[in-house]
Amino acid sequence: MNAANQDAVWIASMGAISSIGINVSENFNALLQGKSGVSYPEFVQTLHRDDLPVCEIKMSNEALAALCKMPNGLPRTAYLSAIAAQEALQSFNLNACRLGMISANTVGGMDRSEFFYQDFLSDPQSGHLRDVVHHECGSITELVAHHLGIKDYVSTISTACSSSANAILHGARLIRHGILDAVLVGGADALCRFTINGFNTLMILDNKPCTPFDQNRKGLNLGEAAAYLVLVSDQKMHEHSIQPIAKLSGAANANDAFHQTASSAEGKGNYLAMSEALKQSGLSLQDIHYINAHGTGTANNDSSEGIAIERLFEGNVPPLSSTKANTGHTLGACGSLEAIYACLAIQHGVIYPNLRFQTQIEEHHFSPVQSLIENQQIDHVMSNSFGFGGNCSSLIFSKP
Amino acid sequence: MYIQGIGSISAQKLNARQGELQMINGGTSVFHCVEPDYKELIPPMQLRRMSKVVRIGIAAAKAALLDAGLEKIDMITTGTAYGCLADTEIFLSKLLQQDEQMLTPTAFIQSTHNTVSGQIALLLGCHGHNFTYVHRGHSWESALQEAFLFSRENAALQILCGGIDEMTNHSHEIIKRFGTYKKEEESIDAHSDGTVAGEGAHLFVMSAEHSPQSYARVQDICLCNTHDTVSNQLQKFLSKQNLLLNDIALVLSGENGDIRYGAEMAALFGAVPDDKLLKYKRFCGEYPTSGSFGMALAASAIKHQQLPRGLNVASVAYHGGTILLHNHYKNQYHSFILLQSI
């Protein structure tokens, strides 16, 4: 055993569901094919069904429930979470491991609370309690942990759009401190009226398919997804002869402390998170072979993120793309979904194209990758997630 | 890890530094928190836009820093089970009543679960690590656990850590329908099913290094799992520190007045004599992050080697020594925190 690796945290397996695929392999193939999940909503019942495109998983709640073998009537986020978590856990045996689950989401069981509240507002004694019982974010994690039989340590993080990146950070910390041997980390969020209308009031939704890092970008498309990784300690990896997919070599969170919903122009929090993650990894700037950017497609995010990246990389920006053009912004799930995409890039030696890009942003000196790059040696990938409340996270994954 | 500063907003007025508690709420219906005079703490323009959970969170954070004699902290970690209920209700109600039309962003922006942590960072200019845990009855204890791990990694860190939850009319009505609360006229001491609702904000400045400012040492934390019985986990937790329940000078029990959990409480602390057992939820009410009130009480008691003056519990005799703080929510999410003098 390499002594320097004793503190290492490894990615042992992964699971994902998004608008571009119901498992990891479907997601990966969709990325290679440049598939976009943008469409008009069919399953989320919203007034905006004809004017706000979203990245929706084209399955009913009943079909999702059947897929993960959970009862009907639960929040959609719980189904998505269970489907991705089951895929992540199915690939190997974790006997004799202290296994935990750290999950993230932004609005818990809000899709059911919307139904409850409709009735409750007219009469406080009406509305089915079964529709509000899973309102809390933590309840979604509990439902899934119970379904999967995870008992050692269960917790939930909600830090807006960086939530599931932060679940990865916390899970890794619990392993490094010897509290857990393995931990299922990630997040889930389903589309709901609350979120769609909330983002709509902020006027940061594009009414066409979004165009991250384009000078003429108009905003983001919301998406739904769930994505989980199983992190294991170095010791357990050796004991169980696990062939890891990647190593988590750096992970940091910082706060922009600028505005509740907007990034500072220079992306201070973004810069701090990326530079701290890089410092932890012990890598140099040129070691980063690909950046999977947060890249939401909003004027503010892409500008600030790009400026912070240019500053950190001293003008030599590595190949970069935002896969939110494929999946939309999946909020509480995007950090872990894109972490999986980063690991797949390392595993398969590919860099995904940034769809629909046309014109470079004026204040930037780089353009994102526009066509698929294959057969590359990809050793280290940076994955960014930035959110409301100034919450900025950056993760670095490395070839094992 | 040492507790260096405390900001407490609860149903009572606790001044942990002075070791004083002013009883305000008697414990029927709801333990609403006593809001402070915000003039010195939050600029009036900002205050007008803040919901209660944000106001009390920020005020408690500022009070904790003031108490610790600090102007800056390095990182923030908080727990809130419910998040920003009032703003969520406003946005959700308008969305439904106005059929998704003519909505404004303010309530949505402030409904995000990490609003309080984000606003504290903004106000203090804190660019460090910033997490919000939202895991029901373990929200605050998860935040404390994280602070504990960070303090082990970097002894220089000044960490702001706390638990915050608000009660709204709607949330109270909904939770009441689940049979969680006692009848309106019953006090939390009544021998009956249910508890009494509470709310509050408790923020702590924590550090790996102690100083004359320090209240107490957080020796260890246990967030109970669902593998083993709570009693077994308590025993293991204590034996890890070479302690028996007998060695504990004071147990702060999470007993909340609900007789349905009587058997579990008896199994845990039945052997603890009355003069060493304090049921802190009788003062702050029941809410998922109420354990943070218990911690403020414990810290003050350890610092002064006596319970805060004004705390109306004649039966309890405490003159210093190790405190075991217990919490649970609906007999789930049990946790134990061991506090000792510095």
Side-chain angles (χ1 to χ4, degrees):
Chain A
M1 195 188 297
N2 182 349
N5 268 339
Q6 274 174 13
D7 270 349
V9 173
W10 301 94
I11 286 82
S13 68
M14 315 188 289
I17 179 167
S18 77
S19 60
I20 60 168
I22 61 163
N23 54 43
V24 169
S25 129
E26 279 192 25
N27 270 269
F28 183 60
N29 288 327
L31 291 171
L32 295 184
Q33 291 157 15
K35 189 179 153 189
S36 160
V38 185
S39 68
Y40 285 108
E42 291 168 42
F43 291 95
V44 58
Q45 296 302 310
T46 170
L47 186 77
H48 300 290
R49 68 184 72 87
D50 299 320
D51 63 320
L52 288 178
V54 294
C55 292
E56 188 179 49
I57 297 164
K58 297 302 181 193
M59 288 173 77
S60 67
N61 285 1
E62 291 71 24
L64 292 168
L67 189 59
C68 62
K69 299 187 175 64
M70 286 175 92
N72 283 322
L74 297 176
R76 187 172 171 91
T77 301
Y79 298 139
L80 300 183
S81 175
I83 291 165
Q86 275 169 346
E87 187 192 5
L89 282 178
Q90 76 188 4
S91 44
F92 63 90
N93 189 343
L94 284 165
N95 274 345
C97 272
R98 290 167 300 166
L99 173 68
M101 176 175 182
I102 310 296
S103 189
N105 65 72
T106 62
V107 288
M110 185 62 84
D111 57 337
R112 308 302 308 176
S113 299
E114 288 166 3
F115 288 119
F116 172 85
Y117 228 68
Q118 186 85 59
D119 296 332
F120 177 81
L121 282 175
S122 57
D123 173 8
Q125 291 308 312
S126 70
H128 292 295
L129 289 177
R130 63 169 183 267
D131 282 335
V132 76
V133 68
H134 301 300
H135 176 80
E136 289 173 55
C137 296
S139 188
I140 304 294
T141 314
E142 289 282 316
L143 280 169
V144 178
H146 182 73
H147 186 60
L148 300 173
I150 298 174
K151 294 178 171 180
D152 283 308
Y153 197 105
V154 180
S155 196
T156 311
I157 291 173
S158 195
T159 52
C161 313
S162 58
S163 297
S164 54
N166 289 338
I168 296 173
L169 251 91
H170 187 57
R173 178 160 275 107
L174 292 171
I175 287 181
R176 283 206 312 274
H177 283 269
I179 293 171
L180 294 172
D181 303 313
V183 55
L184 180 71
V185 291
D189 256 325
L191 288 165
C192 64
R193 283 180 287 172
F194 188 91
T195 310
I196 292 171
N197 283 283
F199 277 85
N200 195 33
T201 63
L202 293 169
M203 294 188 285
I204 53 171
L205 293 181
D206 196 335
N207 60 5
K208 298 263 162 32
C210 66
T211 57
F213 290 107
D214 193 285
Q215 170 66 22
N216 301 311
R217 66 200 179 282
K218 299 267 183 332
L220 59 87
N221 304 136
L222 287 168
E224 58 185 356
Y228 291 88
L229 304 91
V230 175
L231 307 182
V232 293
S233 67
D234 195 62
Q235 194 188 342
K236 286 290 161 187
M237 187 193 67
H238 285 91
E239 279 177 23
H240 290 249
S241 305
I242 294 163
Q243 292 297 316
I245 296 164
K247 182 169 94 168
L248 178 66
S249 48
N253 173 264
N255 199 284
D256 200 36
F258 171 74
H259 185 270
Q260 174 63 14
T261 55
S263 297
S264 59
E266 78 277 22
K268 180 157 189 185
N270 317 26
Y271 176 85
L272 289 170
M274 287 187 287
S275 59
E276 176 59 27
L278 192 68
K279 194 174 121 195
Q280 275 180 23
S281 72
L283 298 168
S284 53
L285 295 171
Q286 58 270 26
D287 292 330
I288 303 296
H289 291 165
Y290 168 50
I291 299 175
N292 187 298
H294 187 54
T296 58
T298 66
N300 181 226
N301 176 81
D302 295 5
S303 168
S304 301
E305 183 176 11
I307 287 168
I309 288 171
E310 285 190 344
R311 180 178 161 212
L312 178 68
F313 288 89
E314 297 163 358
N316 299 312
V317 176
L320 165 156
S321 64
S322 165
T323 46
K324 287 191 176 68
N326 307 81
T327 63
H329 189 351
T330 60
L331 307 176
C334 73
S336 51
L337 183 65
E338 290 162 26
I340 288 174
Y341 293 171
C343 292
L344 290 167
I346 292 169
Q347 206 177 15
H348 298 280
V350 296
I351 293 175
Y352 318 111
N354 189 109
L355 302 185
R356 299 187 286 274
F357 174 82
Q358 288 185 330
T359 315
Q360 184 175 308
I361 295 175
E362 268 170 21
E363 61 266 35
H364 289 174
H365 304 90
F366 68 92
S367 292
V369 171
Q370 289 155 62
S371 45
L372 179 68
I373 300 172
E374 291 182 279
N375 304 314
Q376 286 272 309
Q377 175 80 9
I378 308 288
D379 291 333
H380 309 282
V381 177
M382 176 180 272
S383 175
N384 289 339
S385 299
F386 308 133
F388 282 8
N391 206 291
C392 298
S393 290
S394 186
L395 308 168
I396 297 173
F397 296 94
S398 299
K399 210 176 182 69
Chain B
M1 183 171 73
Y2 296 88
I3 302 170
Q4 299 292 94
I6 298 176
S8 165
I9 295 177
S10 73
Q12 319 301 343
K13 270 187 170 173
L14 173 66
N15 185 330
R17 184 63 67 189
Q18 299 300 323
E20 282 172 1
L21 185 138
Q22 206 184 325
M23 289 284 288
I24 308 285
N25 284 294
T28 47
S29 190
V30 181
F31 282 98
H32 283 294
C33 67
V34 185
E35 294 195 63
D37 182 355
Y38 291 107
K39 246 182 274 157
E40 307 283 312
L41 300 166
I42 303 171
M45 284 290 282
Q46 291 179 30
L47 184 64
R48 271 194 303 144
R49 289 196 296 266
M50 288 176 183
S51 66
K52 188 199 273 180
V53 70
V54 177
R55 290 197 300 268
I56 61 177
I58 287 178
K62 286 210 151 185
L65 262 79
L66 197 67
D67 187 38
L70 292 177
E71 284 182 3
K72 295 268 174 200
I73 33 97
D74 300 306
M75 60 171 276
I76 299 165
T77 173
T78 67
T80 174
Y82 299 132
C84 301
L85 280 177
D87 281 310
T88 303
E89 288 166 5
I90 291 170
F91 192 74
L92 186 53
S93 304
K94 287 194 175 156
L95 181 160
L96 296 169
Q97 287 162 343
Q98 296 167 204
D99 194 21
E100 303 187 55
Q101 292 167 83
M102 309 286 286
L103 297 166
T104 53
T106 309
F108 175 72
I109 290 170
Q110 298 191 147
S111 75
T112 312
H113 280 78
N114 65 335
T115 303
V116 177
S117 286
Q119 289 283 324
I120 295 171
L122 195 56
L123 222 66
L124 299 176
C126 176
H127 291 284
H129 183 93
N130 190 308
F131 267 28
T132 301
Y133 288 87
V134 293
H135 198 69
R136 315 200 85 179
H138 271 167
S139 302
W140 135 254
E141 287 82 5
S142 292
L144 182 67
Q145 167 88 279
E146 189 184 46
F148 198 64
L149 300 181
F150 266 93
S151 76
R152 279 194 199 163
E153 289 173 23
N154 182 351
L157 289 176
Q158 299 286 353
I159 302 168
L160 186 67
C161 171
I164 310 122
D165 268 306
E166 68 178 332
M167 173 69 42
T168 64
N169 291 339
H170 282 183
S171 72
H172 188 256
E173 282 189 44
I174 295 166
I175 297 168
K176 189 162 75 184
R177 284 175 54 191
F178 282 99
T180 306
Y181 301 134
K182 291 185 189 293
K183 295 193 192 96
E184 288 282 309
E185 67 281 4
E186 280 183 325
S187 93
I188 193 164
D189 297 317
H191 189 75
S192 59
D193 288 0
T195 182
V196 175
E199 59 178 0
H202 291 83
L203 274 289
F204 302 85
V205 174
M206 308 276 196
S207 166
E209 310 273 354
H210 66 84
S211 70
Q213 286 288 107
S214 307
Y215 282 91
R217 183 168 69 208
V218 180
Q219 184 63 28
D220 205 358
I221 304 160
C222 169
L223 280 79
C224 289
N225 60 45
T226 50
H227 260 314
D228 200 356
T229 67
V230 179
S231 297
N232 280 346
Q233 291 180 75
L234 171 59
Q235 205 178 10
K236 280 183 201 159
F237 177 66
L238 291 174
S239 65
K240 207 170 102 189
Q241 303 293 331
N242 293 316
L243 289 171
L244 297 169
L245 199 49
N246 262 338
D247 303 322
I248 304 295
L250 178 67
V251 174
L252 290 189
S253 153
E255 199 274 348
N256 66 5
D258 191 329
I259 60 165
R260 289 172 295 187
Y261 311 131
E264 183 70 37
M265 295 302 134
L268 283 176
F269 303 125
V272 177
D274 283 351
D275 65 344
K276 292 167 87 175
L277 188 73
L278 174 61
K279 299 166 180 173
Y280 62 90
K281 292 186 187 184
R282 305 296 172 102
F283 303 98
C284 66
E286 179 65 300
Y287 61 101
T289 51
S290 57
S292 58
F293 171 81
M295 182 131 125
L297 212 56
S300 181
I302 287 181
K303 177 82 179 168
H304 295 279
Q305 302 203 328
Q306 62 177 31
L307 292 176
R309 290 184 297 279
L311 190 72
N312 184 17
V313 274
S315 59
V316 179
Y318 175 73
H319 309 291
T322 301
I323 294 182
L324 176 69
L325 171 61
H326 162 250
N327 193 17
H328 77 104
Y329 192 77
K330 295 194 169 181
N331 200 21
Q332 291 175 287
Y333 313 102
H334 286 266
S335 66
F336 300 103
I337 301 167
L338 204 57
L339 295 121
Q340 294 177 328
S341 61
I342 48 174

